[in-house]
Amino acid sequence: MAVCARLCGVGPSRGCRRRQQRRGPAETAAADSEPDTDPEEERIEAGAAALSGAGGGRSAGPSSPPRCSLLELPPELLVEIFASLPGTDLPSLAQVCTKFRRILHTDTIWRRRCREEYGVCENLRKLEITGVSCRDVYAKRINPRVKSGRFMRILPDYEHMEYRDVYTCLLHRYRHILGLWQPDIGPYGGLLNVVVDGLFIIGWMYLPPHDPHVDDPMRFKPLFRIHLMERKSATVECMYGHRGPHNGHVQIVKKDEFSTKCNQTDHHRMSGGRQEEFRTWLREEWGRTLEDIFHEHMQELILMKFIYTSQYDNCLTYRRIYLPPSRPDDLIRPGLFKGTYGSHGLEIVMLSFHGKHARGTKITGDPNIPAGQQTVEIDLRHRIQLPDGESLRDFNELSRVVLEVREQVRQEQEQEGGPEDVEGLGQQSPQRCEEPPAEPAQAPGDRGAAAAAEPLAQSGQGQPFVLPVGVSSRNEDYPRTCRMCFYGTGLIAGHGFTSPERTPGVFVLFDEDRFGFIWLELKSFSLYSRVQAAFRNADAPSPQAFEEMLKNIQSLTS
């Protein structure tokens, strides 16, 4: 009775107002004669009293301040206290006593834990999240032809969903897969972002914009989703294909690695067979038809990628990646960038700073330079002054300046006791030339990378920039002024990552969100633009963990 009275916020001698209203005078008098506390409360309070009176054998004197038990606090105050604790501590708290266990059934506590720990928004009963509704996630991104009636039947019963179940059976259970991941798709890699999206956990595959529009926003499509179709039972659905969600499976293989499996691969097939699947994939991947691509070599690369990646539509393994840590003295803010790679299209590169060096690591790759490899490295100790006036258009003049810096770097490395041929600038093998002469732009990376750096002190006023005559670029809409240039090296190799070597180039910093790289040997220019997206659960726990992650993803394709 006393527990009920306290939960109602009423004094212990008055009992529960609601129950008193339903009873007669005789029942009320009998109820008031009941003890104020239940045996469990008496045991806890007796233990607290014994502890308070055990100080040196002295009992509390008359002047001692009254001691207040946690059990005597109003329920609404206990709700506020419990809601501020980590969700992982609440199950232990529920074992303390019956009163705590009852209060921990309050859904407000679990709603707050879902919001603060996992970013779940307040208006979940309306299926809304910031800027996107869960209805849109399904109806617009997954299956545009679905009708509202069918849509409501296949969604979970949110009206009867409890936040405690959402926290314990969905968010906490699958917390280890939240964040950024790189799928193991041979040399192509990829970027997967697993997020809490409304009452779903969704794995979004991030794709670069269509070639060569490097400044366009990223595209994304769902690969899988997890939600509570029934209370206490999480359902995994594969979103691959064009026939809507279907049965799937997620397995956490080990720390920082998990896998997905589709149990109904027939949903991935299209009625028109492989030809229709290829045409649909080509429109989504490249934004064009095969007839629009006139160069035979590019057609071969595209067809090769479709055949290879389609083998992974039923089972994929993902390895965790972190965003690079940022320091105040970095040249620009590190992060993810979209870059042009000739016939290979646009690829995702991670720019990170390592003292005197900056590195661009491929998150997505191609058959020449696979994902995980360091596509470019920049020596921040050696700035390059571009030629003035008409000399800026002279490729030979630019080449002369860069080769002079390369020789200076070589001499410094010899004095420091470094390897004599650290850049690997030997004779070019004939089989390295993976692009035919007729191709308008060679793919950077089709044949080297290593260097060093010193953080920038002043950005300067900028200087004119234009590509030298003979240097090809997939995107002619590059900035015509730059802040500064540095000596760098680019990794190039033959098909299948054969005979890799490092060749000299020029790193061109345009602004905070764009940079470029001139590949001297390939006479090609790559333009990079920052990925403008906010990623949760993607920060490295330490600089050492980030360095270890880079080594791991590079070792997979070395």
Side-chain angles (χ1 to χ4, degrees), residues 348-351 359-363 372-375 550 553:
I348 304 174
V349 172
M350 177 185 291
L351 179 68
R359 298 172 184 168
T361 304
K362 280 194 171 187
I363 302 301
Q373 293 298 319
Q374 294 173 8
T375 176
L550 286 183
I553 64 174

Side-chain angles (χ1 to χ4, degrees), residues 49-120:
L51 289 174
S52 63
R58 294 173 297 181
S59 60
S63 60
S64 299
R67 297 181 179 275
C68 178
S69 169
L70 191 64
L71 291 167
E72 296 176 0
L73 295 177
E76 59 271 17
L77 186 55
L78 289 178
V79 167
E80 185 66 23
I81 294 174
F82 294 170
S84 65
L85 298 175
T88 52
D89 292 345
L90 299 184
S92 300
L93 191 63
Q95 298 178 5
V96 173
C97 65
T98 304
K99 180 176 182 177
F100 286 4
R101 186 161 55 251
R102 290 172 180 168
I103 291 178
L104 286 171
H105 277 81
T106 306
D107 219 28
T108 306
I109 297 175
W110 297 100
R111 169 185 278 189
R112 180 170 168 183
R113 299 323 314 147
C114 291
R115 182 181 72 248
E116 294 185 358
E117 295 182 26
Y118 295 100
V120 176

Side-chain angles (χ1 to χ4, degrees), residues 34-223:
E34 294 181 2
D36 285 343
T37 58
D38 64 7
E40 189 173 13
E41 287 190 18
E42 290 179 347
R43 177 175 55 80
I44 295 173
E45 292 178 353
L51 289 174
S52 63
R58 294 173 297 181
S59 60
S63 60
S64 299
R67 297 181 179 275
C68 178
S69 169
L70 191 64
L71 291 167
E72 296 176 0
L73 295 177
E76 59 271 17
L77 186 55
L78 289 178
V79 167
E80 185 66 23
I81 294 174
F82 294 170
S84 65
L85 298 175
T88 52
D89 292 345
L90 299 184
S92 300
L93 191 63
Q95 298 178 5
V96 173
C97 65
T98 304
K99 180 176 182 177
F100 286 4
R101 186 161 55 251
R102 290 172 180 168
I103 291 178
L104 286 171
H105 277 81
T106 306
D107 219 28
T108 306
I109 297 175
W110 297 100
R111 169 185 278 189
R112 180 170 168 183
R113 299 323 314 147
C114 291
R115 182 181 72 248
E116 294 185 358
E117 295 182 26
Y118 295 100
V120 176
C121 296
E122 287 283 356
N123 51 352
L124 294 181
R125 299 307 180 190
K126 299 178 182 179
L127 304 179
E128 296 292 331
I129 62 173
T130 306
V132 178
S133 70
C134 289
R135 181 186 181 89
D136 289 339
V137 168
Y138 184 85
K140 295 182 180 179
R141 300 182 191 173
I142 313 307
N143 190 348
R145 296 181 299 275
V146 71
K147 296 182 179 179
S148 58
R150 178 186 170 196
F151 173 80
M152 295 307 296
R153 285 197 297 272
I154 67 172
L155 279 178
D157 184 9
Y158 291 110
E159 291 300 324
H160 300 91
M161 192 75 67
E162 293 186 2
Y163 279 86
R164 185 178 61 172
D165 296 334
V166 173
Y167 184 95
T168 57
C169 302
L170 179 68
L171 303 179
H172 182 71
R173 178 181 177 185
Y174 289 97
R175 67 192 184 280
H176 297 300
I177 70 171
L178 299 177
L180 289 179
W181 303 83
Q182 185 181 55
D184 183 10
I185 313 180
Y188 298 103
L191 180 65
L192 179 80
N193 186 25
V194 183
V195 298
V196 176
D197 198 346
L199 288 179
F200 292 84
I201 291 178
I202 302 183
W204 295 102
M205 182 68 85
Y206 275 65
L207 305 171
H210 293 139
D211 181 54
H213 307 292
V214 70
D215 287 325
D216 286 357
M218 295 284 287
R219 299 173 295 123
F220 45 90
K221 64 178 181 180
L223 291 193

Side-chain angles (χ1 to χ4, degrees), residues 378-395:
I378 303 98
D379 187 338
L380 299 178
R381 298 171 302 181
H382 294 87
R383 289 187 61 175
I384 290 180
Q385 184 63 39
L386 295 177
D388 296 328
E390 286 299 320
S391 298
L392 185 60
R393 301 280 296 174
D394 189 347
F395 177 80

Side-chain angles (χ1 to χ4, degrees), residues 444-508:
D446 294 356
R447 290 188 21 125
E454 183 174 331
L456 176 67
Q458 297 178 353
S459 61
Q461 300 298 320
Q463 61 187 107
F465 176 80
V466 64
L467 288 177
V469 176
V471 176
S472 60
S473 173
R474 300 287 294 182
N475 193 329
E476 293 294 336
D477 188 23
Y478 59 85
R480 292 313 195 259
T481 59
C482 67
R483 289 187 189 175
M484 63 198 69
C485 301
F486 292 91
Y487 172 78
T489 57
L491 184 62
I492 60 177
H495 188 82
F497 197 41
T498 56
S499 305
E501 67 170 298
R502 311 175 194 277
T503 59
V506 182
F507 172 83
V508 184

Side-chain angles (χ1 to χ4, degrees), residues 356-372:
K356 299 177 181 180
H357 299 70
R359 298 172 184 168
T361 304
K362 280 194 171 187
I363 302 301
T364 62
D366 53 67
N368 291 85
I369 306 298

Side-chain angles (χ1 to χ4, degrees), residues 363-436:
I363 302 301
T364 62
D366 53 67
N368 291 85
I369 306 298
Q373 293 298 319
Q374 294 173 8
T375 176
V376 296
E377 291 199 18
I378 303 98
D379 187 338
L380 299 178
R381 298 171 302 181
H382 294 87
R383 289 187 61 175
I384 290 180
Q385 184 63 39
L386 295 177
D388 296 328
E390 286 299 320
S391 298
L392 185 60
R393 301 280 296 174
D394 189 347
F395 177 80
N396 293 330
E397 180 64 19
L398 176 63
S399 180
R400 180 191 64 79
V401 172
V402 175
L403 294 180
E404 286 179 356
V405 177
R406 182 190 66 170
E407 185 59 31
Q408 180 183 350
V409 171
R410 186 191 300 276
Q411 293 175 4
E412 292 176 357
Q413 290 169 344
E414 291 177 353
Q415 293 174 0
E416 295 171 359
E420 189 170 324
D421 191 24
V422 69
E423 290 183 317
L425 298 174
Q427 293 294 322
Q428 177 181 345
S429 311
Q431 66 268 28
R432 277 246 185 67
C433 234
E434 70 136 2
E435 301 281 356

